[in-house]
Amino acid sequence: MKLLVINGPNINMLGIREVNIYGSENYKSLLERLNKLSHEENIELEHFQSNHEGAIVDKIQEAYQKFDGIVINPAAYTHTSVAILDALKAVSLPTVEVHISKVSEREDFRQVNFIRDYAIKSFEGLGIAGYEKAILYLKNYLEEEK
Ligand code: DQA
């Protein structure tokens, strides 16, 4: 099983940015945790992080027929990007959305979410553990789908 984990803008600044909201664990440590989990679960995992909307769209398009599913934290693009939503719809892979913080309880401008209705599941407010839950959820979903 091949899963693609995509992180949007500023997720590479984890551990530095607003630690009261996003925690003190850095991006490298997130990747290490997810790699460990994927190893234990026999999942092939690829990570991609970009601060650029078009690069994320390109990566989603490249996933077509190469990956079984996508875990995505589109970060700020969650609230603005029709292009990312359209790319996800285009490749039509089961997609789980992750947010480190509890976006549904934050500022009004974060209540617009282009991804939520499309995703098969969303995890928010669980910190970095949300990514682990998302991977396990997607694994389960894909196994049951067979
Ligand atoms: C975020 C929430 C977004 O509103 C924000 O722009 C981010 C991170 C989260 O993981 O909680 O950059 O997606």
mmCIF file of all heavy atoms in Angstrom, residues 110-146:
data_model
loop_
_atom_site.group_PDB
_atom_site.id
_atom_site.type_symbol
_atom_site.label_atom_id
_atom_site.label_comp_id
_atom_site.label_asym_id
_atom_site.label_seq_id
_atom_site.Cartn_x
_atom_site.Cartn_y
_atom_site.Cartn_z
ATOM 1 N N ARG A 110 -10.973 30.872 9.158
ATOM 2 C CA ARG A 110 -10.570 29.456 9.037
ATOM 3 C C ARG A 110 -11.780 28.520 8.943
ATOM 4 O O ARG A 110 -11.636 27.310 8.837
ATOM 5 C CB ARG A 110 -9.692 29.035 10.218
ATOM 6 C CG ARG A 110 -8.335 29.702 10.217
ATOM 7 C CD ARG A 110 -7.444 29.192 11.338
ATOM 8 N NE ARG A 110 -6.517 30.223 11.735
ATOM 9 C CZ ARG A 110 -5.332 30.446 11.169
ATOM 10 N NH1 ARG A 110 -4.910 29.680 10.193
ATOM 11 N NH2 ARG A 110 -4.560 31.432 11.578
ATOM 12 N N GLN A 111 -12.978 29.099 9.011
ATOM 13 C CA GLN A 111 -14.176 28.250 8.949
ATOM 14 C C GLN A 111 -14.552 27.905 7.517
ATOM 15 O O GLN A 111 -15.338 27.002 7.265
ATOM 16 C CB GLN A 111 -15.349 28.904 9.688
ATOM 17 C CG GLN A 111 -15.051 29.209 11.161
ATOM 18 C CD GLN A 111 -14.293 28.073 11.861
ATOM 19 O OE1 GLN A 111 -14.654 26.898 11.743
ATOM 20 N NE2 GLN A 111 -13.221 28.413 12.573
ATOM 21 N N VAL A 112 -13.983 28.651 6.569
ATOM 22 C CA VAL A 112 -14.143 28.255 5.168
ATOM 23 C C VAL A 112 -13.168 27.108 4.945
ATOM 24 O O VAL A 112 -11.986 27.223 5.256
ATOM 25 C CB VAL A 112 -13.784 29.421 4.210
ATOM 26 C CG1 VAL A 112 -13.868 28.973 2.767
ATOM 27 C CG2 VAL A 112 -14.672 30.612 4.485
ATOM 28 N N ASN A 113 -13.681 25.993 4.465
ATOM 29 C CA ASN A 113 -12.818 24.825 4.259
ATOM 30 C C ASN A 113 -13.228 24.138 2.955
ATOM 31 O O ASN A 113 -14.312 23.592 2.841
ATOM 32 C CB ASN A 113 -12.961 23.858 5.448
ATOM 33 C CG ASN A 113 -12.014 22.688 5.368
ATOM 34 O OD1 ASN A 113 -11.684 22.212 4.281
ATOM 35 N ND2 ASN A 113 -11.577 22.179 6.504
ATOM 36 N N PHE A 114 -12.329 24.225 1.968
ATOM 37 C CA PHE A 114 -12.646 23.663 0.650
ATOM 38 C C PHE A 114 -12.442 22.148 0.582
ATOM 39 O O PHE A 114 -12.857 21.505 -0.361
ATOM 40 C CB PHE A 114 -11.777 24.341 -0.430
ATOM 41 C CG PHE A 114 -12.229 25.738 -0.750
ATOM 42 C CD1 PHE A 114 -11.650 26.834 -0.133
ATOM 43 C CD2 PHE A 114 -13.252 25.950 -1.659
ATOM 44 C CE1 PHE A 114 -12.078 28.122 -0.427
ATOM 45 C CE2 PHE A 114 -13.687 27.232 -1.959
ATOM 46 C CZ PHE A 114 -13.100 28.322 -1.335
ATOM 47 N N ILE A 115 -11.745 21.610 1.576
ATOM 48 C CA ILE A 115 -11.328 20.203 1.491
ATOM 49 C C ILE A 115 -12.285 19.272 2.245
ATOM 50 O O ILE A 115 -12.497 18.135 1.856
ATOM 51 C CB ILE A 115 -9.891 20.036 2.060
ATOM 52 C CG1 ILE A 115 -8.930 21.079 1.455
ATOM 53 C CG2 ILE A 115 -9.351 18.618 1.872
ATOM 54 C CD1 ILE A 115 -8.772 21.022 -0.055
ATOM 55 N N ARG A 116 -12.853 19.775 3.328
ATOM 56 C CA ARG A 116 -13.579 18.911 4.266
ATOM 57 C C ARG A 116 -14.668 18.052 3.625
ATOM 58 O O ARG A 116 -14.758 16.864 3.899
ATOM 59 C CB ARG A 116 -14.166 19.748 5.409
ATOM 60 C CG ARG A 116 -14.851 18.885 6.463
ATOM 61 C CD ARG A 116 -14.648 19.399 7.840
ATOM 62 N NE ARG A 116 -13.232 19.545 8.160
ATOM 63 C CZ ARG A 116 -12.776 20.081 9.274
ATOM 64 N NH1 ARG A 116 -13.621 20.533 10.170
ATOM 65 N NH2 ARG A 116 -11.493 20.174 9.509
ATOM 66 N N ASP A 117 -15.476 18.663 2.772
ATOM 67 C CA ASP A 117 -16.590 17.904 2.185
ATOM 68 C C ASP A 117 -16.112 16.806 1.251
ATOM 69 O O ASP A 117 -16.814 15.823 1.031
ATOM 70 C CB ASP A 117 -17.535 18.844 1.412
ATOM 71 C CG ASP A 117 -18.385 19.653 2.370
ATOM 72 O OD1 ASP A 117 -18.416 19.304 3.575
ATOM 73 O OD2 ASP A 117 -19.000 20.628 1.914
ATOM 74 N N TYR A 118 -14.922 17.007 0.687
ATOM 75 C CA TYR A 118 -14.402 15.997 -0.232
ATOM 76 C C TYR A 118 -13.710 14.846 0.510
ATOM 77 O O TYR A 118 -13.808 13.683 0.104
ATOM 78 C CB TYR A 118 -13.423 16.642 -1.237
ATOM 79 C CG TYR A 118 -12.823 15.595 -2.135
ATOM 80 C CD1 TYR A 118 -13.586 15.002 -3.139
ATOM 81 C CD2 TYR A 118 -11.514 15.148 -1.925
ATOM 82 C CE1 TYR A 118 -13.057 13.995 -3.928
ATOM 83 C CE2 TYR A 118 -10.986 14.145 -2.714
ATOM 84 C CZ TYR A 118 -11.753 13.571 -3.709
ATOM 85 O OH TYR A 118 -11.237 12.569 -4.475
ATOM 86 N N ALA A 119 -13.021 15.170 1.596
ATOM 87 C CA ALA A 119 -12.239 14.156 2.325
ATOM 88 C C ALA A 119 -13.157 13.061 2.885
ATOM 89 O O ALA A 119 -14.296 13.341 3.277
ATOM 90 C CB ALA A 119 -11.473 14.824 3.462
ATOM 91 N N ILE A 120 -12.645 11.828 2.918
ATOM 92 C CA ILE A 120 -13.449 10.747 3.505
ATOM 93 C C ILE A 120 -13.480 10.879 5.027
ATOM 94 O O ILE A 120 -14.367 10.352 5.689
ATOM 95 C CB ILE A 120 -12.934 9.329 3.095
ATOM 96 C CG1 ILE A 120 -11.472 9.124 3.497
ATOM 97 C CG2 ILE A 120 -13.132 9.094 1.602
ATOM 98 C CD1 ILE A 120 -11.025 7.666 3.423
ATOM 99 N N LYS A 121 -12.497 11.620 5.571
ATOM 100 C CA LYS A 121 -12.422 11.788 7.035
ATOM 101 C C LYS A 121 -11.510 12.972 7.338
ATOM 102 O O LYS A 121 -10.553 13.218 6.601
ATOM 103 C CB LYS A 121 -11.851 10.489 7.631
ATOM 104 C CG LYS A 121 -11.646 10.486 9.105
ATOM 105 C CD LYS A 121 -12.918 10.142 9.846
ATOM 106 C CE LYS A 121 -12.698 10.109 11.343
ATOM 107 N NZ LYS A 121 -13.970 10.107 12.066
ATOM 108 N N SER A 122 -11.803 13.664 8.432
ATOM 109 C CA SER A 122 -10.937 14.766 8.868
ATOM 110 C C SER A 122 -10.540 14.558 10.325
ATOM 111 O O SER A 122 -11.378 14.163 11.145
ATOM 112 C CB SER A 122 -11.678 16.104 8.765
ATOM 113 O OG SER A 122 -11.999 16.375 7.440
ATOM 114 N N PHE A 123 -9.286 14.822 10.620
ATOM 115 C CA PHE A 123 -8.811 14.808 12.012
ATOM 116 C C PHE A 123 -8.287 16.200 12.319
ATOM 117 O O PHE A 123 -7.458 16.733 11.573
ATOM 118 C CB PHE A 123 -7.682 13.781 12.202
ATOM 119 C CG PHE A 123 -8.146 12.359 12.072
ATOM 120 C CD1 PHE A 123 -7.997 11.665 10.885
ATOM 121 C CD2 PHE A 123 -8.754 11.711 13.148
ATOM 122 C CE1 PHE A 123 -8.437 10.347 10.757
ATOM 123 C CE2 PHE A 123 -9.196 10.398 13.034
ATOM 124 C CZ PHE A 123 -9.031 9.717 11.840
ATOM 125 N N GLU A 124 -8.754 16.791 13.401
ATOM 126 C CA GLU A 124 -8.265 18.120 13.775
ATOM 127 C C GLU A 124 -8.097 18.207 15.279
ATOM 128 O O GLU A 124 -8.762 17.495 16.045
ATOM 129 C CB GLU A 124 -9.214 19.216 13.277
ATOM 130 C CG GLU A 124 -10.599 19.179 13.901
ATOM 131 C CD GLU A 124 -11.331 20.519 13.805
ATOM 132 O OE1 GLU A 124 -11.250 21.180 12.770
ATOM 133 O OE2 GLU A 124 -11.994 20.878 14.799
ATOM 134 N N GLY A 125 -7.144 19.049 15.675
ATOM 135 C CA GLY A 125 -6.965 19.336 17.098
ATOM 136 C C GLY A 125 -6.278 18.234 17.885
ATOM 137 O O GLY A 125 -6.289 18.258 19.107
ATOM 138 N N LEU A 126 -5.676 17.298 17.198
ATOM 139 C CA LEU A 126 -5.005 16.186 17.899
ATOM 140 C C LEU A 126 -3.490 16.351 17.881
ATOM 141 O O LEU A 126 -2.757 15.446 18.263
ATOM 142 C CB LEU A 126 -5.379 14.854 17.238
ATOM 143 C CG LEU A 126 -6.871 14.516 17.208
ATOM 144 C CD1 LEU A 126 -7.121 13.284 16.367
ATOM 145 C CD2 LEU A 126 -7.386 14.314 18.628
ATOM 146 N N GLY A 127 -3.029 17.503 17.408
ATOM 147 C CA GLY A 127 -1.583 17.697 17.276
ATOM 148 C C GLY A 127 -1.057 16.778 16.197
ATOM 149 O O GLY A 127 -1.789 16.370 15.279
ATOM 150 N N ILE A 128 0.183 16.410 16.364
ATOM 151 C CA ILE A 128 0.855 15.569 15.366
ATOM 152 C C ILE A 128 0.249 14.160 15.297
ATOM 153 O O ILE A 128 0.281 13.495 14.267
ATOM 154 C CB ILE A 128 2.359 15.592 15.692
ATOM 155 C CG1 ILE A 128 2.894 16.917 15.167
ATOM 156 C CG2 ILE A 128 3.103 14.402 15.164
ATOM 157 C CD1 ILE A 128 4.317 17.081 15.089
ATOM 158 N N ALA A 129 -0.354 13.748 16.400
ATOM 159 C CA ALA A 129 -0.991 12.417 16.432
ATOM 160 C C ALA A 129 -2.097 12.300 15.393
ATOM 161 O O ALA A 129 -2.452 11.188 14.968
ATOM 162 C CB ALA A 129 -1.544 12.152 17.833
ATOM 163 N N GLY A 130 -2.632 13.420 14.955
ATOM 164 C CA GLY A 130 -3.681 13.418 13.928
ATOM 165 C C GLY A 130 -3.209 12.764 12.634
ATOM 166 O O GLY A 130 -3.987 12.094 11.944
ATOM 167 N N TYR A 131 -1.933 12.949 12.311
ATOM 168 C CA TYR A 131 -1.383 12.335 11.087
ATOM 169 C C TYR A 131 -1.346 10.810 11.234
ATOM 170 O O TYR A 131 -1.603 10.088 10.283
ATOM 171 C CB TYR A 131 0.033 12.829 10.805
ATOM 172 C CG TYR A 131 0.147 14.281 10.383
ATOM 173 C CD1 TYR A 131 0.316 15.285 11.334
ATOM 174 C CD2 TYR A 131 0.121 14.643 9.046
ATOM 175 C CE1 TYR A 131 0.449 16.609 10.960
ATOM 176 C CE2 TYR A 131 0.255 15.972 8.652
ATOM 177 C CZ TYR A 131 0.421 16.945 9.611
ATOM 178 O OH TYR A 131 0.547 18.263 9.237
ATOM 179 N N GLU A 132 -0.976 10.358 12.435
ATOM 180 C CA GLU A 132 -0.914 8.903 12.665
ATOM 181 C C GLU A 132 -2.314 8.302 12.554
ATOM 182 O O GLU A 132 -2.508 7.259 11.936
ATOM 183 C CB GLU A 132 -0.292 8.621 14.043
ATOM 184 C CG GLU A 132 1.166 9.037 14.091
ATOM 185 C CD GLU A 132 1.779 9.013 15.481
ATOM 186 O OE1 GLU A 132 1.049 9.252 16.473
ATOM 187 O OE2 GLU A 132 2.986 8.785 15.576
ATOM 188 N N LYS A 133 -3.281 8.994 13.145
ATOM 189 C CA LYS A 133 -4.673 8.513 13.062
ATOM 190 C C LYS A 133 -5.122 8.479 11.617
ATOM 191 O O LYS A 133 -5.829 7.553 11.195
ATOM 192 C CB LYS A 133 -5.586 9.434 13.868
ATOM 193 C CG LYS A 133 -5.375 9.349 15.346
ATOM 194 C CD LYS A 133 -6.722 9.368 16.070
ATOM 195 C CE LYS A 133 -6.537 9.338 17.555
ATOM 196 N NZ LYS A 133 -6.781 8.105 18.187
ATOM 197 N N ALA A 134 -4.750 9.496 10.863
ATOM 198 C CA ALA A 134 -5.172 9.595 9.460
ATOM 199 C C ALA A 134 -4.594 8.436 8.641
ATOM 200 O O ALA A 134 -5.302 7.816 7.830
ATOM 201 C CB ALA A 134 -4.711 10.930 8.876
ATOM 202 N N ILE A 135 -3.328 8.119 8.867
ATOM 203 C CA ILE A 135 -2.683 7.020 8.133
ATOM 204 C C ILE A 135 -3.371 5.696 8.467
ATOM 205 O O ILE A 135 -3.692 4.905 7.574
ATOM 206 C CB ILE A 135 -1.169 6.985 8.453
ATOM 207 C CG1 ILE A 135 -0.477 8.169 7.766
ATOM 208 C CG2 ILE A 135 -0.533 5.655 8.022
ATOM 209 C CD1 ILE A 135 0.951 8.403 8.214
ATOM 210 N N LEU A 136 -3.620 5.474 9.747
ATOM 211 C CA LEU A 136 -4.262 4.215 10.155
ATOM 212 C C LEU A 136 -5.694 4.132 9.631
ATOM 213 O O LEU A 136 -6.146 3.075 9.196
ATOM 214 C CB LEU A 136 -4.226 4.065 11.684
ATOM 215 C CG LEU A 136 -2.822 3.875 12.272
ATOM 216 C CD1 LEU A 136 -2.877 3.894 13.796
ATOM 217 C CD2 LEU A 136 -2.174 2.586 11.762
ATOM 218 N N TYR A 137 -6.383 5.263 9.635
ATOM 219 C CA TYR A 137 -7.754 5.288 9.120
ATOM 220 C C TYR A 137 -7.768 4.939 7.634
ATOM 221 O O TYR A 137 -8.573 4.125 7.170
ATOM 222 C CB TYR A 137 -8.367 6.684 9.338
ATOM 223 C CG TYR A 137 -9.811 6.752 8.907
ATOM 224 C CD1 TYR A 137 -10.834 6.472 9.808
ATOM 225 C CD2 TYR A 137 -10.149 7.057 7.588
ATOM 226 C CE1 TYR A 137 -12.163 6.503 9.406
ATOM 227 C CE2 TYR A 137 -11.473 7.085 7.183
ATOM 228 C CZ TYR A 137 -12.474 6.811 8.096
ATOM 229 O OH TYR A 137 -13.781 6.836 7.695
ATOM 230 N N LEU A 138 -6.849 5.558 6.899
ATOM 231 C CA LEU A 138 -6.780 5.337 5.451
ATOM 232 C C LEU A 138 -6.396 3.889 5.133
ATOM 233 O O LEU A 138 -6.954 3.264 4.230
ATOM 234 C CB LEU A 138 -5.759 6.321 4.856
ATOM 235 C CG LEU A 138 -5.779 6.585 3.359
ATOM 236 C CD1 LEU A 138 -7.176 6.845 2.843
ATOM 237 C CD2 LEU A 138 -4.871 7.762 3.032
ATOM 238 N N LYS A 139 -5.478 3.350 5.928
ATOM 239 C CA LYS A 139 -5.066 1.958 5.729
ATOM 240 C C LYS A 139 -6.285 1.038 5.886
ATOM 241 O O LYS A 139 -6.564 0.186 5.046
ATOM 242 C CB LYS A 139 -3.971 1.574 6.729
ATOM 243 C CG LYS A 139 -3.462 0.170 6.512
ATOM 244 C CD LYS A 139 -2.510 -0.305 7.574
ATOM 245 C CE LYS A 139 -2.119 -1.747 7.264
ATOM 246 N NZ LYS A 139 -1.637 -2.453 8.443
ATOM 247 N N ASN A 140 -6.990 1.243 6.979
ATOM 248 C CA ASN A 140 -8.191 0.462 7.267
ATOM 249 C C ASN A 140 -9.227 0.584 6.151
ATOM 250 O O ASN A 140 -9.793 -0.408 5.689
ATOM 251 C CB ASN A 140 -8.788 1.017 8.563
ATOM 252 C CG ASN A 140 -9.268 -0.094 9.430
ATOM 253 O OD1 ASN A 140 -8.902 -1.256 9.207
ATOM 254 N ND2 ASN A 140 -10.096 0.241 10.403
ATOM 255 N N TYR A 141 -9.440 1.787 5.720
ATOM 256 C CA TYR A 141 -10.426 2.080 4.666
ATOM 257 C C TYR A 141 -10.053 1.340 3.375
ATOM 258 O O TYR A 141 -10.897 0.699 2.749
ATOM 259 C CB TYR A 141 -10.461 3.588 4.435
ATOM 260 C CG TYR A 141 -11.363 4.028 3.304
ATOM 261 C CD1 TYR A 141 -12.699 4.352 3.535
ATOM 262 C CD2 TYR A 141 -10.866 4.136 2.000
ATOM 263 C CE1 TYR A 141 -13.525 4.748 2.492
ATOM 264 C CE2 TYR A 141 -11.691 4.523 0.955
ATOM 265 C CZ TYR A 141 -13.008 4.842 1.202
ATOM 266 O OH TYR A 141 -13.823 5.227 0.175
ATOM 267 N N LEU A 142 -8.782 1.403 3.030
ATOM 268 C CA LEU A 142 -8.335 0.770 1.775
ATOM 269 C C LEU A 142 -8.409 -0.751 1.863
ATOM 270 O O LEU A 142 -8.742 -1.415 0.890
ATOM 271 C CB LEU A 142 -6.898 1.228 1.433
ATOM 272 C CG LEU A 142 -6.794 2.683 0.961
ATOM 273 C CD1 LEU A 142 -5.345 3.164 1.031
ATOM 274 C CD2 LEU A 142 -7.347 2.865 -0.438
ATOM 275 N N GLU A 143 -8.110 -1.274 3.049
ATOM 276 C CA GLU A 143 -8.181 -2.727 3.237
ATOM 277 C C GLU A 143 -9.634 -3.218 3.155
ATOM 278 O O GLU A 143 -9.917 -4.265 2.588
ATOM 279 C CB GLU A 143 -7.547 -3.141 4.560
ATOM 280 C CG GLU A 143 -6.042 -3.170 4.440
ATOM 281 C CD GLU A 143 -5.337 -3.366 5.774
ATOM 282 O OE1 GLU A 143 -6.007 -3.340 6.832
ATOM 283 O OE2 GLU A 143 -4.114 -3.509 5.749
ATOM 284 N N GLU A 144 -10.528 -2.434 3.723
ATOM 285 C CA GLU A 144 -11.949 -2.835 3.695
ATOM 286 C C GLU A 144 -12.563 -2.703 2.310
ATOM 287 O O GLU A 144 -13.487 -3.402 1.962
ATOM 288 C CB GLU A 144 -12.744 -1.985 4.702
ATOM 289 C CG GLU A 144 -12.634 -2.586 6.079
ATOM 290 C CD GLU A 144 -13.313 -1.744 7.146
ATOM 291 O OE1 GLU A 144 -14.089 -0.847 6.794
ATOM 292 O OE2 GLU A 144 -13.044 -2.004 8.314
ATOM 293 N N GLU A 145 -12.002 -1.773 1.542
ATOM 294 C CA GLU A 145 -12.494 -1.494 0.187
ATOM 295 C C GLU A 145 -12.249 -2.670 -0.753
ATOM 296 O O GLU A 145 -12.970 -2.887 -1.702
ATOM 297 C CB GLU A 145 -11.732 -0.276 -0.335
ATOM 298 C CG GLU A 145 -12.555 0.633 -1.221
ATOM 299 C CD GLU A 145 -11.688 1.710 -1.837
ATOM 300 O OE1 GLU A 145 -10.470 1.538 -1.976
ATOM 301 O OE2 GLU A 145 -12.260 2.743 -2.190
ATOM 302 N N LYS A 146 -11.177 -3.447 -0.448
ATOM 303 C CA LYS A 146 -10.747 -4.538 -1.345
ATOM 304 C C LYS A 146 -11.787 -5.639 -1.475
ATOM 305 O O LYS A 146 -12.434 -5.986 -0.518
ATOM 306 C CB LYS A 146 -9.437 -5.141 -0.826
ATOM 307 C CG LYS A 146 -8.250 -4.378 -1.346
ATOM 308 C CD LYS A 146 -6.961 -5.075 -0.917
ATOM 309 C CE LYS A 146 -5.788 -4.108 -0.995
ATOM 310 N NZ LYS A 146 -4.709 -4.486 -0.125
#
